[in-house]
C-alpha cells in the first residue's frame, strides 16, 4: 500500500514561483531553467522506479515515496522506502544516462555520455550515509532490530553500468531488475522481525516525522527580497497587481475577477521568502493597503498560527505540497515550461 504518495518536487514549485516573480530579463533565469530540468529528470526517474514496484504485494508492503526525516545534524531525504515485517528497503534513484563506471579502487564515479567523461560524487557514498542515518533514526525510535537494505537504482533503462568490483552488484541495480534484485535480497525464508502491529506503528511514525523542505532560494541565488515582483498575479493574463475591490480581486489589465487569487501569492511567499507570514508581510507582498482585509483573508484560510492580533504569525500548512500540486493541476500556466508530461 502506498502510505505516502510522490508529489512534484518542492524545488520545481520554488523555481517556478521565482521565475514568475523576477523581471523577464533577470540573469538568473537560465540557471533556474537548468536547475528545473535536472530536478524534473530526477523526478521522472523516480516515477519510473515507482512503476517498477507494482509487483510488490499491496498488503505486505508499506511504501513511502520521497520521505524526509529529521536527524541530529541535517534532515535526510529518501527517494523511496518500503517497509515490511522482514526489513526496510531504502531505494536511492539516479537517472544517469550513458556509461556509468563505479571505480571502487579509487572510490570514484564517472559517467561517459556523448564521448564526454564527467566525474560525480560517488552515489554509493551517499547511499551508505543515508542508510546509516536511517539506522540511527530507527534506533532512536525503538526499532533497532529491523534490517535496512539499501539499493541504488539506475532508472534509465539505456544506461550501462560498469565496475571493477563486482561485490557492488548487491547494492546497485537497474530499475527493470528491481524485482529480481529484491527477491534475491529478501527471500521467502527471511525471518519476520516485526509484528503487524509494530509495522503499523512504525508506518504511522514515519509519516508523522516526515517534513517538507522549503529551501532558502533567495540566499542560494543571491537575490534580494526587493527584486521580487510584488502583488497578486492575474490568473488570466499573468500580469501583476490585481486590485481588491468589493471583496474580490480585479485585474487592471484584463478586468478578470478572482475571489481567491491571493492564495497563489501567499504560496509564493511561503516558497520564496519564508514558511510563515504576518499581516504586515502579507500586505506588503500582495500590495494590499487594508490590515482588516488582510486579517479577513488570512483567517479564512485556517492556517496554523501563533500569537494574537497584530502579533499573529501564520504558518504554511503541513500539506502545502499537496495543495501546490492541486493548484498546478488547475493552472494553465504555472510550471508550463518546467514540466512536460
Ligand atoms: Zn489580467
Amino acid at each position: 500500500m502506498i502510505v505516502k504518495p510522490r508529489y512534484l518536487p518542492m524545488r520545481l514549485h520554488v523555481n517556478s514561483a521565482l521565475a514568475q516573480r523576477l523581471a523577464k530579463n533577470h540573469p538568473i533565469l537560465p540557471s533556474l531553467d537548468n536547475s528545473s530540468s535536472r530536478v524534473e529528470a530526477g523526478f521522472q526517474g523516480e516515477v519510473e522506479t515507482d512503476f517498477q514496484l507494482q509487483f510488490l504485494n499491496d498488503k505486505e508492503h508499506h511504501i513511502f515515496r520521497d520521505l524526509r526525516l529529521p536527524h541530529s545534524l541535517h534532515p535526510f531525504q529518501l527517494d523511496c522506502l518500503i517497509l515490511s515485517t522482514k526489513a526496510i528497503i531504502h531505494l536511492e534513484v539516479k537517472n544517469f544516462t550513458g556509461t556509468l563506471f563505479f571505480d571502487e579502487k579509487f572510490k570514484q564515479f564517472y559517467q561517459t555520455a556523448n564521448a564526454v567523461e564527467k566525474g560525480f560524487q560517488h552515489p554509493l557514498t551517499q547511499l551508505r550515509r543515508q542508510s546509516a542515518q536511517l539506522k540511527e533514526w530507527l534506533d532512536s525510535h525503538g526499532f533497532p532490530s529491523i534490517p535496512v537494505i539499501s539499493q541504488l537504482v539506475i532508472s534509465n533503462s539505456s544506461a550501462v553500468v560498469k565496475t571493477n568490483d563486482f561485490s557492488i552488484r548487491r547494492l546497485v541495480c537497474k530499475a527493470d531488475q528491481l524485482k529480481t534484485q529484491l527477491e534475491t535480497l529478501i527471500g521467502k525464508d527471511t525471518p519476520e522481525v516485526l509484528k503487524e502491529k509494530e509495522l503499523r506503528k512504525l508506518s504511522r511514525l514515519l509519516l508523522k516525522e516526515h517534513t517538507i523542505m522549503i529551501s532558502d532560494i533567495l540566499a542560494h541565488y543571491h537575490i534580494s527580497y526587493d527584486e521580487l515582483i510584488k502583488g497578486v498575479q492575474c490568473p488570466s493574463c499573468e500580469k501583476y497587481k490585481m486590485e481588491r475591490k468589493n471583496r474580490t480581486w480585479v485585474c487592471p489589465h484584463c478586468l478578470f475577477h478572482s475571489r481567491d487569487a491571493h492564495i497563489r501569492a501567499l504560496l509564493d511567499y511561503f516558497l520564496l521568502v519564508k514558511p510563515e507570514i504576518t499581516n504586515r508581510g502579507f500586505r506588503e507582498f500582495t500590495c494590499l493597503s487594508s490590515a482588516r482585509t488582510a486579517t479577513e483573508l488570512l483567517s479564512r484560510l485556517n492556517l496554523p498560527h501563533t500569537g494574537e492580533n497584530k502579533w499573529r504569525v501564520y504558518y504554511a500548512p503541513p500539506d502545502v505540497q499537496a495543495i501546490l500540486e492541486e493548484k498546478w493541476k488547475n493552472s494553465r500556466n504555472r510550471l508550463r515550461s518546467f514540466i512536460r508530461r
Side-chain angles (χ1 to χ4, degrees), residues 38-281:
R38 280 196 306 275
V39 176
E40 186 192 343
F43 178 69
Q44 298 294 1
E46 289 161 15
V47 171
E48 169 62 25
T49 305
D50 293 340
F51 177 75
Q52 298 292 341
L53 289 172
Q54 289 182 98
F55 71 90
L56 289 173
N57 183 311
D58 210 39
K59 279 187 187 150
E60 291 171 13
H61 299 90
H62 292 204
I63 302 176
F64 298 80
R65 295 170 174 168
D66 193 17
L67 201 60
R68 188 169 177 268
L69 298 173
H71 186 261
S72 53
L73 294 174
H74 296 291
F76 59 104
Q77 196 136 3
L78 307 164
D79 289 341
C80 184
L81 205 67
I82 305 159
L83 185 59
S84 76
T85 49
K86 293 180 176 179
I88 285 191
I89 302 158
H90 152 226
L91 305 178
E92 172 65 20
V93 183
K94 295 289 178 201
N95 72 315
F96 289 106
T97 53
T99 301
L100 314 174
F101 193 83
F102 291 81
D103 179 355
E104 294 307 288
K105 291 200 172 114
F106 293 99
K107 296 291 171 204
Q108 298 182 105
F109 171 79
Y110 48 91
Q111 170 204 44
T112 310
N114 303 319
V116 179
E117 195 174 277
K118 198 174 167 191
F120 288 90
Q121 188 192 17
H122 203 307
L124 290 179
T125 308
Q126 186 193 359
L127 186 81
R128 289 184 181 112
R129 188 180 60 239
Q130 288 168 327
S131 178
Q133 287 171 315
L134 178 59
K135 278 178 191 153
E136 281 175 37
W137 186 91
L138 288 164
D139 279 1
S140 68
H141 288 85
F143 294 93
S145 60
I146 186 157
V148 173
I149 296 171
S150 290
Q151 280 290 299
L152 182 70
V153 183
I154 306 296
S155 57
N156 193 312
S157 58
S158 60
V160 176
V161 178
K162 292 186 175 177
T163 183
N164 50 13
D165 177 0
F166 287 95
S167 71
I168 68 158
R169 177 72 189 84
R170 210 177 47 83
L171 293 170
V172 186
C173 75
K174 303 275 290 287
D176 50 10
Q177 299 159 350
L178 203 47
K179 183 173 188 285
T180 323
Q181 181 84 345
L182 294 183
E183 282 169 354
T184 312
L185 293 167
I186 310 170
K188 284 198 174 69
D189 302 332
T190 308
E192 299 207 331
V193 287
L194 287 184
K195 294 192 171 70
E196 277 292 331
K197 197 178 160 192
E198 289 172 309
L199 179 76
R200 286 197 297 274
K201 187 183 166 199
L202 178 53
S203 191
R204 282 196 301 273
L205 189 61
L206 284 164
L207 202 56
K208 188 170 152 244
E209 290 267 300
H210 167 71
T211 56
I212 54 158
M213 179 176 69
I214 299 186
S215 59
D216 192 350
I217 193 78
L218 298 188
H220 179 78
Y221 284 115
H222 307 290
I223 294 169
S224 75
Y225 174 77
D226 293 341
E227 284 177 83
L228 297 180
I229 300 169
K230 310 296 186 304
V232 170
Q233 191 182 26
C234 170
S236 180
C237 73
E238 294 194 315
K239 288 184 180 153
Y240 280 90
K241 291 201 184 159
M242 291 186 93
E243 291 158 5
R244 188 80 187 163
K245 286 177 185 167
N246 301 324
R247 305 173 74 83
T248 187
W249 294 98
V250 182
C251 174
H253 310 283
C254 73
L255 303 179
F256 184 81
H257 282 51
S258 165
R259 294 190 74 82
D260 61 1
H262 57 284
I263 296 177
R264 184 70 250 184
L266 182 65
L267 290 168
D268 284 353
Y269 187 94
F270 286 149
L271 291 172
L272 302 177
V273 186
K274 52 184 167 181
E276 57 181 65
I277 197 166
T278 59
N279 184 297
R280 178 192 284 257

